[in-house]
Coordinates of all heavy atoms in Angstrom, one line a residue:
S200 N 175.9 23.0 128.3 CA 176.0 24.2 127.3 C 175.2 23.9 126.1 O 174.5 24.8 125.6 CB 177.5 24.4 127.0 OG 178.2 24.7 128.2
T201 N 175.4 22.7 125.5 CA 174.6 22.4 124.3 C 173.1 22.4 124.5 O 172.4 23.0 123.7 CB 175.0 21.0 123.8 OG1 176.4 21.0 123.6 CG2 174.3 20.7 122.5
T202 N 172.7 21.9 125.7 CA 171.2 21.9 126.0 C 170.7 23.3 126.1 O 169.6 23.6 125.6 CB 171.0 21.1 127.3 OG1 171.5 19.8 127.2 CG2 169.5 21.1 127.7
I203 N 171.4 24.2 126.8 CA 171.0 25.5 127.0 C 170.9 26.2 125.7 O 170.0 27.0 125.4 CB 172.0 26.3 128.0 CG1 171.9 25.7 129.4 CG2 171.7 27.8 128.0 CD1 173.0 26.2 130.3
I204 N 171.9 26.0 124.8 CA 171.9 26.7 123.5 C 170.7 26.2 122.7 O 170.0 27.0 122.0 CB 173.2 26.4 122.7 CG1 174.4 27.0 123.5 CG2 173.1 26.8 121.3 CD1 175.8 26.7 122.9
V205 N 170.5 24.9 122.7 CA 169.3 24.3 122.0 C 168.0 24.8 122.5 O 167.1 25.3 121.7 CB 169.3 22.7 122.1 CG1 168.0 22.2 121.6 CG2 170.5 22.2 121.3
L206 N 167.9 24.9 123.8 CA 166.6 25.5 124.4 C 166.5 27.0 124.0 O 165.4 27.4 123.7 CB 166.7 25.4 125.9 CG 166.5 24.0 126.5 CD1 166.7 24.0 128.0 CD2 165.1 23.5 126.2
F207 N 167.6 27.7 124.0 CA 167.5 29.1 123.7 C 167.1 29.3 122.2 O 166.2 30.1 122.0 CB 168.9 29.8 124.0 CG 169.0 31.2 123.6 CD1 168.4 32.1 124.5 CD2 169.6 31.7 122.5 CE1 168.4 33.5 124.2 CE2 169.6 33.0 122.3 CZ 169.0 34.0 123.1
V208 N 167.7 28.5 121.4 CA 167.4 28.6 119.9 C 165.9 28.2 119.7 O 165.2 28.8 118.9 CB 168.3 27.7 119.1 CG1 167.8 27.6 117.6 CG2 169.7 28.3 119.1
G209 N 165.5 27.1 120.5 CA 164.1 26.7 120.3 C 163.1 27.7 120.7 O 162.1 27.9 120.1
I210 N 163.4 28.4 121.8 CA 162.5 29.5 122.3 C 162.4 30.6 121.2 O 161.3 31.1 121.0 CB 163.1 30.1 123.7 CG1 162.9 29.0 124.8 CG2 162.4 31.4 124.0 CD1 163.5 29.5 126.1
I211 N 163.6 31.0 120.7 CA 163.5 32.0 119.6 C 162.7 31.5 118.4 O 161.8 32.3 117.9 CB 165.0 32.3 119.1 CG1 165.8 33.0 120.3 CG2 164.9 33.2 117.9 CD1 167.2 33.2 119.9
V212 N 162.9 30.3 118.0 CA 162.1 29.8 116.9 C 160.6 29.7 117.2 O 159.8 30.2 116.4 CB 162.6 28.4 116.5 CG1 161.7 27.7 115.4 CG2 164.0 28.4 116.0
I213 N 160.3 29.2 118.4 CA 158.8 29.2 118.8 C 158.3 30.6 118.8 O 157.1 30.8 118.3 CB 158.7 28.5 120.2 CG1 159.1 27.0 120.1 CG2 157.3 28.7 120.7 CD1 159.1 26.4 121.4
N214 N 159.0 31.6 119.3 CA 158.5 32.9 119.4 C 158.3 33.5 118.0 O 157.4 34.4 117.8 CB 159.5 33.8 120.2 CG 158.9 35.2 120.5 OD1 157.9 35.3 121.1 ND2 159.6 36.2 120.0
V215 N 159.1 33.1 117.1 CA 158.9 33.7 115.7 C 157.6 33.2 115.1 O 156.8 34.0 114.6 CB 160.1 33.2 114.8 CG1 159.7 33.5 113.3 CG2 161.3 33.9 115.2
F216 N 157.3 31.9 115.3 CA 156.0 31.4 114.7 C 154.8 31.6 115.6 O 153.7 31.7 115.1 CB 156.2 29.9 114.4 CG 157.1 29.5 113.3 CD1 158.5 29.2 113.6 CD2 156.7 29.6 112.0 CE1 159.4 28.9 112.6 CE2 157.6 29.4 111.0 CZ 158.9 29.0 111.3
F217 N 155.0 31.8 116.9 CA 153.9 32.0 117.8 C 154.4 32.9 118.9 O 154.8 32.5 119.9 CB 153.3 30.7 118.3 CG 151.9 30.9 118.9 CD1 150.8 30.8 118.1 CD2 151.7 31.2 120.3 CE1 149.5 31.0 118.7 CE2 150.5 31.4 120.8 CZ 149.3 31.3 120.0
P218 N 154.3 34.2 118.7 CA 154.9 35.2 119.7 C 154.3 35.0 121.1 O 153.1 34.7 121.2 CB 154.5 36.6 119.0 CG 154.3 36.3 117.6 CD 153.8 34.9 117.5
F219 N 155.1 35.1 122.0 CA 154.7 34.9 123.4 C 153.7 35.9 123.8 O 152.8 35.7 124.7 CB 155.9 34.9 124.4 CG 156.8 33.8 124.1 CD1 158.2 34.0 124.1 CD2 156.4 32.5 124.0 CE1 159.1 33.0 123.9 CE2 157.2 31.4 123.8 CZ 158.6 31.7 123.7
K220 N 153.8 37.2 123.3 CA 152.8 38.2 123.7 C 151.4 37.8 123.2 O 150.4 38.1 123.8 CB 153.2 39.6 123.1 CG 153.3 39.7 121.6 CD 153.7 41.1 121.2 CE 153.7 41.3 119.7 NZ 154.1 42.6 119.4
V221 N 151.4 37.1 122.0 CA 150.1 36.7 121.5 C 149.5 35.6 122.4 O 148.4 35.5 122.8 CB 150.2 36.1 120.1 CG1 148.9 35.5 119.6 CG2 150.6 37.2 119.1
L222 N 150.4 34.6 122.9 CA 150.0 33.6 123.8 C 149.5 34.2 125.1 O 148.5 33.8 125.6 CB 151.1 32.6 124.1 CG 150.9 31.5 125.1 CD1 149.8 30.6 124.6 CD2 152.2 30.7 125.3
Y223 N 150.2 35.2 125.6 CA 149.8 35.9 126.8 C 148.5 36.5 126.7 O 147.6 36.4 127.6 CB 150.9 36.9 127.2 CG 150.6 37.7 128.4 CD1 150.7 37.2 129.7 CD2 150.0 39.0 128.3 CE1 150.4 38.0 130.8 CE2 149.8 39.8 129.4 CZ 149.9 39.3 130.6 OH 149.6 40.0 131.7
R224 N 148.2 37.2 125.5 CA 146.9 37.8 125.3 C 145.8 36.8 125.3 O 144.8 37.0 126.0 CB 146.9 38.6 124.0 CG 147.7 39.8 124.0 CD 147.2 40.8 122.9 NE 147.3 40.2 121.5 CZ 148.3 40.4 120.7 NH1 149.3 41.2 121.1 NH2 148.4 39.9 119.5
Q225 N 146.0 35.7 124.6 CA 144.9 34.7 124.6 C 144.7 34.0 125.9 O 143.5 33.6 126.1 CB 145.3 33.6 123.4 CG 145.4 34.2 122.1 CD 145.6 33.2 121.0 OE1 145.9 32.0 121.3 NE2 145.4 33.6 119.8
L226 N 145.7 33.8 126.7 CA 145.5 33.1 128.0 C 145.0 34.1 129.1 O 144.2 33.6 129.9 CB 146.8 32.5 128.4 CG 147.3 31.3 127.5 CD1 148.6 30.8 128.1 CD2 146.3 30.2 127.6
F227 N 145.5 35.3 129.1 CA 145.2 36.1 130.3 C 144.5 37.5 130.0 O 144.0 38.1 130.9 CB 146.5 36.4 131.1 CG 147.2 35.2 131.4 CD1 148.4 34.8 130.7 CD2 146.8 34.3 132.4 CE1 149.1 33.7 131.1 CE2 147.4 33.1 132.7 CZ 148.6 32.8 132.1
K228 N 144.6 38.0 128.8 CA 144.2 39.3 128.5 C 143.3 39.5 127.4 O 143.5 40.3 126.4 CB 145.5 40.2 128.2 CG 146.4 40.4 129.4 CD 145.8 41.5 130.3 CE 146.8 41.8 131.4 NZ 146.3 43.0 132.3
K229 N 142.2 38.7 127.2 CA 141.3 38.7 126.2 C 140.7 40.1 126.0 O 140.2 40.7 127.0 CB 140.2 37.7 126.3 CG 140.6 36.3 126.1 CD 139.5 35.3 126.2 CE 139.9 33.9 126.0 NZ 138.8 32.9 126.3
N230 N 140.6 40.6 124.8 CA 140.0 41.9 124.5 C 140.7 43.1 125.3 O 140.0 44.1 125.5 CB 138.5 41.8 124.8 CG 137.8 41.0 123.8 OD1 138.2 40.9 122.6 ND2 136.7 40.4 124.2
D231 N 141.9 43.0 125.7 CA 142.6 44.1 126.3 C 143.3 44.9 125.2 O 144.5 45.0 125.2 CB 143.6 43.6 127.3 CG 144.2 44.7 128.2 OD1 143.6 45.8 128.2 OD2 145.2 44.4 128.8
F232 N 142.5 45.6 124.4 CA 143.0 46.4 123.3 C 141.9 47.5 123.0 O 140.8 47.4 123.6 CB 143.3 45.6 122.0 CG 142.0 45.0 121.5 CD1 141.3 45.7 120.5 CD2 141.6 43.7 121.8 CE1 140.1 45.1 120.0 CE2 140.5 43.2 121.3 CZ 139.7 43.8 120.3
H233 N 142.3 48.5 122.3 CA 141.3 49.5 121.9 C 141.4 49.7 120.4 O 142.4 49.4 119.8 CB 141.4 50.7 122.7 CG 142.7 51.5 122.4 ND1 143.9 51.3 123.1 CD2 143.0 52.5 121.6 CE1 144.8 52.1 122.7 NE2 144.3 52.8 121.7
I234 N 140.3 50.2 119.9 CA 140.2 50.5 118.4 C 140.5 51.9 118.2 O 139.9 52.8 118.8 CB 138.8 50.1 117.9 CG1 138.6 48.6 118.0 CG2 138.6 50.6 116.5 CD1 137.2 48.2 117.5
E235 N 141.4 52.2 117.3 CA 141.6 53.6 116.8 C 141.0 53.8 115.4 O 141.3 53.0 114.5 CB 143.1 53.9 116.7 CG 143.8 53.8 118.0 CD 145.3 54.0 117.9 OE1 145.8 54.0 116.7 OE2 146.0 54.2 118.9
I236 N 140.1 54.8 115.3 CA 139.4 55.0 114.1 C 139.9 56.3 113.5 O 139.8 57.4 114.1 CB 137.9 55.1 114.3 CG1 137.4 53.8 115.0 CG2 137.1 55.4 113.0 CD1 135.9 53.8 115.4
S237 N 140.4 56.3 112.2 CA 140.9 57.4 111.6 C 139.8 58.4 111.1 O 138.6 58.1 111.1 CB 141.8 57.0 110.4 OG 140.9 56.6 109.3
E238 N 140.2 59.6 110.7 CA 139.3 60.5 110.1 C 138.8 60.0 108.7 O 139.6 59.2 108.1 CB 140.0 61.9 109.9 CG 140.3 62.6 111.2 CD 139.0 62.9 112.0 OE1 138.0 63.4 111.4 OE2 138.9 62.6 113.2
P239 N 137.7 60.4 108.3 CA 137.2 59.8 107.0 C 137.9 60.4 105.8 O 138.4 61.5 105.8 CB 135.7 60.2 107.0 CG 135.6 61.5 107.9 CD 136.6 61.2 109.0
V240 N 138.0 59.5 104.8 CA 138.5 59.9 103.5 C 137.4 59.8 102.5 O 136.7 58.7 102.4 CB 139.7 59.1 103.1 CG1 140.1 59.3 101.7 CG2 140.8 59.3 104.0
I241 N 137.2 60.8 101.6 CA 136.1 60.7 100.6 C 136.5 59.8 99.5 O 137.6 60.0 98.9 CB 135.8 62.1 100.1 CG1 135.2 62.9 101.2 CG2 134.8 62.0 98.9 CD1 134.9 64.4 100.7
V242 N 135.7 58.8 99.1 CA 135.9 58.0 97.9 C 135.2 58.7 96.7 O 135.9 58.9 95.7 CB 135.3 56.6 98.1 CG1 135.4 55.8 96.8 CG2 136.0 55.9 99.3
A243 N 134.0 59.1 96.9 CA 133.2 59.7 95.8 C 132.0 60.4 96.4 O 131.5 59.9 97.4 CB 132.9 58.8 94.7

């Protein structure tokens, strides 16, 4: 029970500092995103 709790807490801590979805992207899904470009705003 203690081991499972420690592992569970460890997984949560690791995910906070290095999210699993980021790891997944870097390992398997490079550049699987798109760019959204807003309408222009006049500065001057």
